[in-house]
Amino acid sequence: MSLIKDKRLAADKLRRAASPEILGFKTTKDIEPFSGLMGQDRVVKSVNFGLSVDSGGYNIFVVGEPGSGRRSYVLEELKNAAKDMPAPDDWVFVYNFDDPSSPLSISLPAGKGKQLANDADTALEDLKAALVKAFENSEFEDNKAQLVKTFQDEVNKVMEELQKWAESKDFSIKRTPQGFVNLPLIMAPPVEAPTDAQNDAEDNETDTAAEPVSQAKEPVRREMQQEEFEKLSDDEQKALQKVSEEISQKTLEKLRVIREHEKKLKEKVKELEAQICTVAIEPIVAELRSKFEPNEKLSKWFDAFSEDVKENFAAFLASVRDDSAEVDFSRYEVNAFVSNNPEGGAPVVNETNPIYYNLVGKTDYESRQGNLYTDFRKVVPGSIHRANGGFLLIDADELVRQFMSWDVIKHVLRYHELSIENLGEQLGYIPVSSLCPEAIPINVKVVLVGTPYIYYLLNIYDPEFQKVFKVKAEFDSDMPRTPESEYQLAQLTAGFVKRNGAPDFTAGAVGEVIEWASRLAENRNRLSLHTDSILEILVEAASYAKGDRKKLVSAEHVRRAISESMTRNSLTEDKYFEEYEGGTIRIDTDGEVVGQINGLTVCQLIDHSFGSPVRITANVFMGGDGVVNIEREVRMTGPIHNKGLMILSSYLGRMYARDYPLSITARIAFEQTYGGIEGDSASSTELYCLLSAIADIPLKQYIAVTGSVDQMGYIQPIGGVNEKIEGFFRYCKLHGLTGKQGVMIPVQNEQHLMLSHEVTDAVKKKKFHIWSVSTIDEGIEILSGIKAGTPDENGEYPKKSVHGRVKAALEAWLERSFRYKKDMEDRVSRKKKKKSPTGKKKTSKKEAE
């Protein structure tokens, strides 16, 4: 009984309380909010280093569990670093007058991109007005008319020369709708022309007949009629046809001359129009050009811009003169692709949905009468473009889920440029004609935030991962619990109050928050850094205080918040304990039983974990199978649990089978368990149960046990110690606390104890107990009330000790086994003798065997 008392833990060892006096304030109103990252010095150094290195590949991967504050901290650090960096260039896309399918990308100083787009729109309207005014000038019309008159005079001169030449050949040239026609000329007989007197006589309406007077004219040539031509002989017709062909050839030559004059006229008119356009355009374009100099690429585009306006000035005139005219001036617009604030520092882009198009950008399409159209104005930037020259923050877990997104990030970080390509062009079987915007150089530092699982997964499966993410910033899950760290947690609470306008927390309430942080860390000497879980309790406690119309959040409000939070997630736990309460699952918490013990398990759900007792039994009988776990035989156990069972067998061999083999068969079972079992935390419990069954020693059923064991018999720590103790306490409470009940744990788990107030209060009142042991010997003495025993100089244990009784039992089993074997051999031998015929050779004992 003395060992039971010596190994029993006092109530103050079960929960490390935070002292309001040591905190040094009454409410959070008396302290300043915490600034910075609490307990993550390694992360701070790593992030600062990654941000300070400009070399390629030094991108940052922030490793941490969700809820650790990893993303919010990194985002804040990126914004602080970006403030001191210069704003990167703007990028615009403009129409490519040489290759419209490949828009040009042009960089401009920060803030100039939108300015260029606005100025281009303004310049377009100015050009319309200037061109209309220039071409409505009378000087232009007079010059153009003079050029046309000169051309017409030259054409008339050429045609007159041609006509005279044709007449010399007795031919006339006539223009018809079908072209020029050559007609032969013949001499017509002379005709008397009426005199003036005759004409006057016709005008007078008198009966007096004037004496006719005739005036003879010289013979004239007229055009030969078709009937006349057909009356000619064949030779005459052929002669005329030959001359006609000669005239036609000459006509073609003259027409070529006229076309040359016409071409020269057009060139002169075009030169005149160009001169007018130049005079109208140059001042506007020059003003536009001067605002963005020096920029060689933009200057070349302005040159192409001016030439295109000159070539299409008629469209400008039509758009002004005719309101109904549909003229497309989109080619003269500017797509302000990426714009940066010149006073805003470097960009910081927090991409929360890293699908391919959100990262790379895309080309939008517009439906027109069932067809899809696009142009350079519909090229949309992605987050990589917007973060160019700054920082891009992405959730790694989301990134690797999206098709092609990880490949794009890796490509950009390796080659430092990005082209906007539609996935259909990359993956489609049939190439589709679309825009191919010019690639843009990229200089961006990418920061990924992800879980350890994703980090190591990328390390394993992508050999290039380490080349592009050379800086690892890993968040710790907890920090040492010191007066300084407790005060920092109090400051964190004060910051929450200030940000959210919540009621101030008393020092006692902050103490409960500190104790809850230790419970989350599963260590009385450490504090959890899972800020989301802590902030949830702060929010809920403040809500309960407001509901009670209290000006301060007290310790009771924090306790209530913790209790209610656990209750909301404990439906499965409650269902388990309903089975215990109704007796469906049998657990004994009183008396002593041989070969039976209460073990403890932890059920780990996503949002809740709880402990529950399980009855472990052992049977021992004659045989040579050794220790067999029934769950293992039916494959309900995991490898770690199987390892614990093999260690248990090794312990038995070390302790009791040095001089003779173990000659028993033992069966161990977790009663009324129907799911998988994993972990070695019950290996010591199984060993106690097995020793009890072998030595026929009853074990106290009101003590539940947890802890693993090594081959030397030392107890090793386990996980979930708080949940296991509270689970057994809840079961004992269902059937009434007797003052004897309790839990035995490994001594190493004392530092992990942060039990609920209910359990610690029961221990203070001696209604419940916690023991900690370091060896199997200590544990078996507490469970059985019998000394484990120590060997003398001959290696013999006291007969009444546990080990002495176990060894004696094993020797008895062995002797019984030998006796049984000998009896069986004798029985076989006698049967052989009875069956041997008379007069024949008897079967020897060796032959019988």
Side-chain angles (χ1 to χ4, degrees), residues 253-313:
E253 294 177 0
K254 292 300 181 181
L255 288 177
R256 279 195 292 269
V257 172
I258 292 173
R259 280 196 293 270
E260 287 295 325
H261 286 301
E262 185 178 8
K263 184 177 179 181
K264 290 179 181 179
L265 172 64
K266 290 181 179 180
E267 290 176 353
K268 290 179 180 180
V269 171
K270 191 172 183 180
E271 289 176 2
L272 177 61
E273 292 172 343
Q275 291 174 0
I276 299 298
C277 287
T278 301
V279 173
I281 292 171
E282 276 306 314
I284 299 173
V285 176
E287 181 183 0
L288 190 61
R289 191 193 302 262
S290 65
K291 294 180 180 180
F292 304 96
E293 290 181 345
N295 191 315
E296 183 179 355
K297 192 171 185 179
L298 182 60
S299 180
K300 290 181 179 179
W301 183 76
F302 279 138
D303 294 339
F305 177 95
S306 299
E307 291 300 320
D308 194 78
V309 171
K310 293 175 185 178
E311 293 177 4
N312 297 280
F313 75 93

Side-chain angles (χ1 to χ4, degrees), residues 627 629-637 641-642 645-646:
V627 180
N629 185 291
I630 294 176
E631 282 79 16
R632 180 186 179 188
E633 293 300 302
V634 295
R635 299 181 180 179
M636 289 176 60
T637 58
H641 183 86
N642 295 336
L645 185 67
M646 297 179 72

Side-chain angles (χ1 to χ4, degrees), residues 79-282:
K79 289 180 179 179
N80 292 335
K83 290 178 183 177
D84 300 327
M85 296 172 62
D89 287 347
D90 288 354
W91 285 91
V92 299
F93 273 110
V94 294
Y95 184 79
N96 188 341
F97 294 100
D98 295 327
D99 184 5
S101 66
S102 180
L104 299 175
S105 61
I106 300 176
S107 65
L108 296 167
K112 293 289 187 178
K114 287 185 177 180
Q115 181 183 344
L116 176 61
N118 294 332
D119 290 350
D121 292 341
T122 303
L124 183 61
E125 296 302 320
D126 293 343
L127 287 171
K128 293 177 183 178
L131 287 171
V132 170
K133 183 177 180 181
F135 282 94
E136 288 179 350
N137 192 321
S138 60
E139 183 179 354
F140 167 73
E141 295 296 338
D142 293 342
N143 291 336
K144 185 176 180 181
Q146 183 62 38
L147 290 174
V148 172
K149 183 177 181 304
T150 302
F151 168 73
Q152 290 174 344
D153 292 343
E154 291 175 344
V155 170
N156 291 336
K157 183 179 178 182
V158 170
M159 293 305 297
E160 287 177 2
E161 292 176 352
L162 178 64
Q163 187 69 28
K164 288 180 180 180
W165 181 82
E167 289 177 356
S168 68
K169 299 289 185 178
D170 294 330
F171 266 82
S172 174
I173 300 176
K174 275 198 172 184
R175 183 190 294 269
T176 68
Q178 289 77 29
F180 290 98
V181 177
N182 302 327
L183 298 175
L185 296 176
I186 59 175
M187 297 298 296
V191 179
E192 293 184 353
T195 64
D196 293 339
Q198 288 176 332
N199 292 335
D200 293 339
E202 289 176 0
D203 293 337
N204 295 327
E205 296 181 2
T206 61
D207 295 335
T208 304
E211 185 180 352
V213 180
S214 299
Q215 184 176 358
K217 292 192 66 177
E218 295 182 2
V220 296
R221 289 185 297 180
R222 63 177 178 83
E223 297 172 354
M224 181 180 292
Q225 301 298 318
Q226 182 65 27
E227 297 81 3
E228 294 174 330
F229 178 79
E230 291 176 351
K231 292 178 180 180
L232 296 176
S233 65
D234 292 341
D235 293 338
E236 289 175 330
Q237 288 182 2
K238 289 180 180 179
L240 289 175
Q241 288 176 352
K242 184 176 180 182
V243 174
S244 177
E245 291 175 358
E246 183 182 357
I247 293 172
S248 297
Q249 188 67 30
K250 187 72 172 181
T251 302
L252 290 176
E253 294 177 0
K254 292 300 181 181
L255 288 177
R256 279 195 292 269
V257 172
I258 292 173
R259 280 196 293 270
E260 287 295 325
H261 286 301
E262 185 178 8
K263 184 177 179 181
K264 290 179 181 179
L265 172 64
K266 290 181 179 180
E267 290 176 353
K268 290 179 180 180
V269 171
K270 191 172 183 180
E271 289 176 2
L272 177 61
E273 292 172 343
Q275 291 174 0
I276 299 298
C277 287
T278 301
V279 173
I281 292 171
E282 276 306 314

Side-chain angles (χ1 to χ4, degrees), residues 182 221 268 287 356 448 461 494 529 558 571 574 608 666 684 791:
N182 302 327
R221 289 185 297 180
K268 290 179 180 180
E287 181 183 0
Y356 177 84
L448 296 185
Y461 289 104
L529 292 173
V558 177
L571 177 62
D574 293 342
H608 184 61
S684 68

Side-chain angles (χ1 to χ4, degrees), residues 350-391:
N350 181 15
E351 180 55 71
T352 57
N353 184 25
I355 61 174
Y356 177 84
Y357 289 118
N358 284 356
L359 292 173
V360 176
K362 59 183 177 179
T363 302
D364 286 337
Y365 289 84
E366 178 183 351
S367 178
R368 297 178 185 174
Q369 298 180 349
N371 296 318
L372 296 177
Y373 293 88
T374 188
D375 57 42
F376 73 97
R377 298 172 302 162
K378 298 187 182 300
V379 181
V380 181
S383 54
I384 297 177
H385 297 108
R386 290 185 284 112
N388 195 10
F391 305 100

